[in-house]
Amino acid sequence: MTKRILIAGSGFAGMWSALSAARAVSLAGKENEVNITLVSPSPNLHIRPRLYETAFDEMSPDIAPLLAAVGVNHLAGTIESVNTANKDVEVKNIGGARSTMPYDRFILATGSALFLPDIPGLKEHSFNVDQLSNAIALDQHLKALAKQPDTVARNTVVVVGGGFTGIETVLEMPQRLRDILGNGATIRVALLERASEIGPDLGPGPRPLIEQAFAECGVEVMTSAAAESISAEGVTTTTGAYIESNTVIWTAGPRAQSLAEQIQGEHDRFGRVHADQYLRAKGVKDVFVTGDVAMVATDDEGNIASMSCQHALSLGRVSGHNAAAELLGLPAHAYSQPKYVTCLDLGPWGAVYTEGWDRQVHLQREEAKELKRAINTQWIYPPEPDRDAVFAIANPDYVIVP
Ligand SMILES: Cc1cc2nc3c(=O)[nH]c(=O)nc-3n(C[C@H](O)[C@H](O)[C@H](O)COP(=O)(O)OP(=O)(O)OC[C@H]3O[C@@H](n4cnc5c(N)ncnc54)[C@H](O)[C@@H]3O)c2cc1C
């Protein structure tokens, strides 16, 4: 009887799960015995790491030909619930019809979404770059500012949150505003960070370079200051300041997508499901978790995989392989990704590339920017739909980082 691997989500982790499961099934010569189906709203990979940019036509490559090349089915819809006792899921397809799909192994790869805390006006009046639709809405808003009267609020952008996304986003804003409003406009771009220093998770290594970039690009930094309330006209900070702005961009804090709550077992404070080294959910049988929904050790030093593309690309390869391996009676592969790097875009200043969890700076300025461009436009993109070439890089121990 045909066995079913069902994968929820066609992001980095879901796509690579599908490709590596297909590879394992093919190597075992069992293509006729295992059905692999990927469920997501559309067969596209959204390049979330580029959503602070504006090249939207490059940010959702079609992966239908790739999936077809390796024999993976795609179903356009969302998984609304998971019944781990019955081993099935409820799917709402894009037409609105509901159906129940059984699985032998289920891989949860539904990613993350920005968490919006209960701050007055945040949901109604802020923008963000979390999903493609959010980034497009921000872009349309910014472009429409050109038709508004020349006021301080129109000419001011405030980015809330000085982590990775906040830093990359805020450093794009001076040039984006000038392109839209013209060089004659008196623009103001500010970054609000609750902690006493920007990039609280980045550590001291790259910080002086980030500060240089802010100074050179004209970004004003306000630390020890959080947003207290937001309106269409501005933001009030916890330090009592009021900044007039029609554009407040929220970047603080992703959480695992809510479907993860339905997977039994322990969850961390980001809603991620605790997994063992084989990416099996610890609290329930026959369910794998991967990418941003997985809480798993990345090495033997106590480091945990971060909600990042870098980890999702490897986690996906491991979860897909292991789901197939269990069904095929093959050895499972333990996830381990000891090398950790970051490459942070610093706008016109360049970029900074670090290695290790203590983030030692290895490259900066244009050299790092070149690497960032390669990562953002090549490395994280889907491979060409060539079955053999895909299987050559879909193994669970494939090393991605430089
Ligand atoms: C602005 C920004 C910048 C970033 N920069 C970097 C960076 O520089 N480096 C880095 O490593 N990481 C970066 N990241 C993080 C990175 O994008 C994520 O960690 C990565 O996308 C996680 O991959 P994933 O496959 O787990 O989830 P996602 O890429 O979020 O994919 C989730 C998939 O699940 C689908 N889905 C969701 N719910 C359901 C459902 N109920 N049913 C079916 N399908 C569902 C979605 O449609 C999507 O296809 C950035 C993120 C953002 C937003």
Side-chain angles (χ1 to χ4, degrees):
M1 210 171 91
T2 306
K3 305 262 190 202
R4 285 172 165 272
I5 297 175
L6 192 60
I7 304 167
S10 60
F12 300 96
M15 181 189 77
W16 281 105
S17 286
L19 301 179
S20 70
R23 171 187 172 274
V25 170
S26 164
L27 284 178
K30 303 271 172 138
E31 285 97 333
N32 295 331
E33 294 172 35
V34 182
N35 171 299
I36 305 168
T37 299
L38 185 62
V39 181
S40 71
S42 72
N44 295 88
L45 173 69
H46 288 175
I47 309 293
R48 292 179 67 202
R50 288 189 70 183
L51 294 180
Y52 63 93
E53 300 179 39
T54 52
F56 298 117
D57 52 346
E58 297 168 24
M59 292 189 194
S60 57
D62 180 4
I63 61 167
L66 172 64
L67 299 177
V70 298
V72 171
N73 305 303
H74 181 265
L75 180 69
T78 52
I79 294 185
E80 302 227 301
S81 60
V82 186
N83 185 334
T84 56
N86 289 352
K87 291 180 63 170
D88 61 32
V89 302
E90 190 181 50
V91 181
K92 186 175 164 195
N93 74 21
I94 41 165
R98 286 190 162 74
S99 59
T100 301
M101 290 182 73
Y103 65 80
D104 293 288
R105 292 296 179 277
F106 177 59
I107 304 178
L108 184 76
T110 45
S112 59
L114 194 64
F115 174 69
L116 297 178
D118 207 10
I119 292 174
L122 176 67
K123 292 188 178 77
E124 301 87 330
H125 300 298
S126 70
F127 296 87
N128 65 70
V129 292
D130 189 54
Q131 308 291 333
L132 185 57
S133 56
N134 305 130
I136 291 172
L138 169 64
D139 191 54
Q140 286 169 349
H141 164 81
L142 288 171
K143 286 180 175 145
L145 291 175
K147 299 197 189 82
Q148 300 298 317
D150 182 353
T151 62
V152 171
R154 181 197 74 155
N155 298 346
T156 302
V157 169
V158 179
V159 173
V160 184
F164 287 80
T165 302
I167 292 168
E168 292 192 327
T169 304
V170 79
L171 281 162
E172 289 293 305
M173 287 301 146
Q175 192 55 48
R176 264 172 94 169
L177 273 185
R178 273 187 223 106
D179 288 345
I180 291 164
L181 302 177
N183 285 330
T186 309
I187 63 160
R188 182 182 180 197
V189 175
L191 180 68
L192 281 189
E193 167 54 50
R194 176 191 297 273
S196 57
E197 288 180 291
I198 52 110
D201 296 333
L202 279 161
R207 194 168 291 136
L209 302 179
I210 298 166
E211 284 165 352
Q212 255 184 44
F214 286 153
E216 212 171 285
C217 299
V219 169
E220 199 180 313
V221 179
M222 302 169 83
T223 49
S224 305
E228 193 167 76
S229 65
I230 296 167
S231 74
E233 297 303 321
V235 52
T236 302
T237 75
T238 47
T239 55
Y242 176 70
I243 309 170
E244 289 178 56
S245 172
N246 295 146
T247 314
V248 177
I249 306 173
W250 184 263
T251 68
R255 294 282 184 282
Q257 287 276 12
S258 57
L259 204 60
E261 292 165 15
Q262 298 186 25
I263 305 300
Q264 291 86 341
E266 215 180 321
H267 294 66
D268 74 355
R269 66 193 173 97
F270 303 111
R272 298 184 295 180
V273 181
H274 282 237
D276 68 15
Q277 285 316 110
Y278 299 94
L279 305 186
R280 297 179 292 225
K282 281 188 177 170
V284 63
K285 271 171 67 71
D286 303 330
V287 174
F288 290 78
V289 291
T290 189
D292 281 3
V293 297
M295 205 310 275
V296 63
T298 189
D299 56 25
D300 296 332
E301 314 282 314
N303 295 306
I304 300 296
S306 60
M307 287 181 164
S308 70
C309 199
Q310 175 181 173
H311 287 130
L313 293 166
S314 278
L315 289 164
R317 284 170 164 92
V318 174
S319 50
H321 174 86
N322 287 346
E326 277 195 0
L327 294 179
L328 299 165
L330 298 173
H333 182 92
Y335 169 71
S336 168
Q337 199 174 355
K339 184 161 182 184
Y340 178 64
V341 304
T342 53
C343 196
L344 188 67
D345 198 343
L346 297 178
W349 185 90
V352 58
Y353 167 74
T354 67
E355 291 194 358
W357 288 90
D358 55 348
R359 299 185 212 277
Q360 293 171 21
V361 175
H362 281 236
L363 298 175
Q364 55 178 285
R365 290 273 191 183
E366 187 50 32
E367 249 188 309
K369 188 84 168 189
E370 220 173 282
L371 177 62
K372 183 71 177 180
R373 276 190 214 104
I375 293 170
N376 269 7
T377 61
Q378 296 163 32
W379 295 20
I380 62 176
Y381 272 68
E384 292 299 315
D386 170 334
R387 185 173 176 276
D388 292 341
V390 171
F391 286 170
I393 57 168
N395 42 310
D397 51 0
Y398 184 76
V399 178
I400 299 149
V401 294

